[in-house]
Amino acid sequence: FLPDSHILNVLQFYCAEELNNQFPEGYFENGLEPIAYNYRNWNLASEGLIITFETYQVQAGAAGPQTILIPYFLLEEFIDPEGPLGYVIEQQNQENTF
């Protein structure tokens, strides 16, 4: 991601919106604070960035771990075009033009 992009705030906002949709009764907000530790479990998928929250991090244990998919198009302005994720976006854009 680009330096000074405040990407953790962006991730927090999007994940909070998704968790509000999934759990209207609430979730553990401290598990979403914009610190790197809270977003340490992530994967790249063809559709977007997958954030995984461990059991008890954002919801009760019975709910298990939670995953949030953030589509790349929502992150494009924060992605460093010279970084690895920039390469993934470039490849996707090339595939979509054919």
Side-chain angles (χ1 to χ4, degrees):
F1 293 101
L2 293 168
D4 300 322
S5 67
H6 304 287
I7 189 62
L8 293 175
N9 295 80
V10 173
L11 297 177
Q12 177 190 30
F13 177 79
Y14 188 83
C15 290
E17 291 291 316
E18 288 298 308
L19 288 171
N20 276 327
N21 292 334
Q22 293 176 27
F23 303 102
E25 71 280 359
Y27 57 89
F28 306 150
E29 292 181 20
N30 60 334
L32 290 183
E33 290 179 8
I35 56 175
Y37 183 80
N38 284 338
Y39 299 91
R40 69 192 176 281
N41 297 317
W42 55 269
N43 289 291
L44 301 178
S46 59
E47 319 75 52
L49 178 68
I50 299 172
I51 304 292
T52 302
F53 297 103
E54 295 178 4
T55 303
Y56 296 108
Q57 184 176 349
V58 295
Q59 193 48 260
Q66 299 300 307
T67 58
I68 306 288
L69 173 69
I70 306 172
Y72 290 129
F73 74 87
L74 295 175
L75 300 172
E76 273 192 79
E77 67 183 278
F78 308 102
I79 294 172
D80 181 354
E82 300 300 318
L85 193 49
Y87 175 78
V88 170
I89 298 297
E90 179 183 325
Q91 294 303 306
Q92 280 191 331
N93 288 340
Q94 287 179 2
E95 288 174 11
N96 291 334
T97 60
F98 294 110

